[in-house]
Amino acid sequence: MVESSFGNVKEFTAQLFSDSKSCYSDCSVADKKFVLGESPFYDERTGNLSFVDIMSHAFYIIDKNGKCSSYDVGQMVGAAVPAEKAGTYMLAMTDGLYLFDGKDVNCIFDLSNIYEPYRRSNDAKCDPAGRLFFGSSTWNNEYEPGGNLYCYDDGTVRILQKNTKISNGMAWTKNKKKFLFSDSLEHCVFVYDYDISTGNISGRRELFHVDDGVPDGMCIDGDDNVWLAVWGGRRIECHSSVDGSLLARVNVPAEQVSSCCFYGTEKDSLFITSAGEGLSGKYDGRLFSCKVF
């Protein structure tokens, strides 16, 4: 990792995950290329890192000792989110929401009557009250991009934001009053007012616009700064959630940077996923890491 500063914008360079100095980097997939790596999570209860490879129907868990377990879930999986019981995950998949119990994957909500046949689940995260926010997107290129942002709560699904293009990154501020959301083909990160008692969002307004690349997955730090993967932009951008100003940039040696999360006991490093489909670059589709604090 190299850090420099240009004006008020800090600049970092990510390294291959296999080169990072952590137990996780010794895992069997550290050198693997992924078709569409996405949905990275760090579960501090177990010390596990996890992510998915959407098009390969695969879900990966790297434990704190560097052992990697992979699961073929049989269909495209947009996200895998740590669930209430440690070691379990909610999977947002092509035709439904599934629970991975540590061994088996079982459907808990059928989405086939909600999604058109040419759509699938995309990114997903749990809100501060434990509701699952998840987006849909078009996966068949014969159809125009489109979908909705949904919420799964106590056995029911409702639409939070209609007519999204590609629902992607999500985050909530520390005071639990703001929700941040990237709609990729709008090239924007939006901020909403968030009601934790209901899970409702309102008052959408643009926080910042991405001109060079496409906003994808994101995470948020303890100071409420948003760290956004820029697909096609070879970077992660850090922006203030207050005024959208650019604070830092992480340069990544892969074309399609897809998402990121903080990990480790100090949560001072980013775990970064990327996609390699249709690309021939040496590091496209690889995993990366960058210490930013």
Side-chain angles (χ1 to χ4, degrees):
M1 182 273 293
V2 177
E3 177 185 350
S4 58
S5 183
F6 296 90
N8 294 323
V9 178
K10 289 186 176 180
E11 192 147 346
F12 304 87
T13 300
Q15 61 182 338
L16 288 171
F17 188 60
S18 56
D19 293 337
S20 63
K21 295 180 180 179
S22 73
C23 60
Y24 304 102
S25 62
D26 295 327
C27 71
S28 59
V29 297
D31 288 314
K32 182 178 172 65
K33 284 196 171 190
F34 298 94
V35 178
L36 181 47
E38 255 286 7
S39 186
F41 278 94
Y42 172 70
D43 190 340
E44 60 186 340
R45 299 170 299 179
T46 60
N48 291 346
L49 276 172
S50 63
F51 62 99
V52 302
D53 190 348
I54 295 176
M55 297 305 180
S56 299
H57 307 171
F59 166 47
Y60 295 87
I61 301 174
I62 307 171
D63 72 17
K64 60 185 178 181
N65 297 313
K67 178 183 176 182
C68 181
S69 300
S70 62
Y71 305 89
D72 183 343
V73 297
Q75 57 179 274
M76 288 179 285
V77 51
V81 183
E84 184 176 12
K85 181 181 177 182
T88 67
Y89 292 80
M90 286 283 289
L91 308 184
M93 293 172 48
T94 304
D95 66 3
L97 302 177
Y98 289 72
L99 180 65
F100 172 74
D101 63 8
K103 182 180 179 182
D104 299 315
V105 176
N106 297 295
C107 186
I108 63 169
F109 194 94
D110 184 357
L111 293 169
S112 59
N113 292 324
I114 294 177
Y115 289 171
E116 294 87 348
Y118 50 87
R119 291 199 174 130
R120 63 166 175 83
S121 300
N122 201 43
D123 210 350
K125 283 189 178 175
C126 279
D127 79 351
R131 306 175 187 93
L132 185 72
F133 281 42
F134 64 99
S136 64
S137 66
T138 302
W139 65 268
N140 188 325
N141 291 333
E142 295 178 8
Y143 296 88
E144 290 296 318
N148 300 305
L149 174 65
Y150 298 90
C151 176
Y152 172 77
D153 182 20
D154 196 24
T156 64
V157 166
R158 58 194 168 95
I159 296 176
L160 295 174
Q161 175 66 62
K162 293 182 179 180
N163 301 321
T164 59
K165 299 299 184 184
I166 301 180
S167 293
N168 251 312
M170 305 171 211
W172 290 261
T173 55
K174 189 162 49 178
N175 66 7
K176 304 173 186 176
K177 293 184 177 181
K178 304 294 181 186
F179 169 64
L180 300 110
F181 172 61
S182 64
D183 190 343
S184 293
L185 294 187
E186 296 283 1
H187 289 266
C188 284
V189 170
F190 297 98
V191 59
Y192 298 73
D193 298 316
Y194 166 70
D195 183 346
I196 190 172
S197 66
T198 62
N200 291 336
I201 58 174
S202 61
R204 184 174 86 158
R205 58 265 190 205
E206 182 178 321
L207 180 63
F208 62 90
H209 193 271
V210 177
D211 295 312
D212 180 17
V214 176
D216 205 323
M218 69 167 74
C219 62
I220 196 165
D221 65 26
D223 293 322
D224 281 343
N225 298 317
V226 177
W227 296 77
L228 174 77
V230 181
W231 178 275
R234 307 179 70 89
R235 68 190 186 277
I236 304 284
E237 290 184 352
C238 175
H239 290 258
S240 165
S241 67
V242 177
D243 60 12
S245 58
L246 179 65
L247 304 176
R249 178 170 47 235
V250 179
N251 298 308
V252 182
E255 183 70 24
Q256 314 290 35
V257 186
S258 57
S259 194
C260 58
C261 72
F262 287 101
Y263 76 102
T265 55
E266 302 300 320
K267 296 190 186 112
D268 57 359
S269 296
L270 288 171
F271 176 52
I272 302 166
T273 54
S274 72
E277 184 175 23
L279 301 173
S280 58
K282 183 177 180 180
Y283 301 121
D284 292 322
R286 297 284 295 273
L287 303 172
F288 301 90
S289 177
C290 188
K291 184 176 172 63
V292 294
F293 296 119

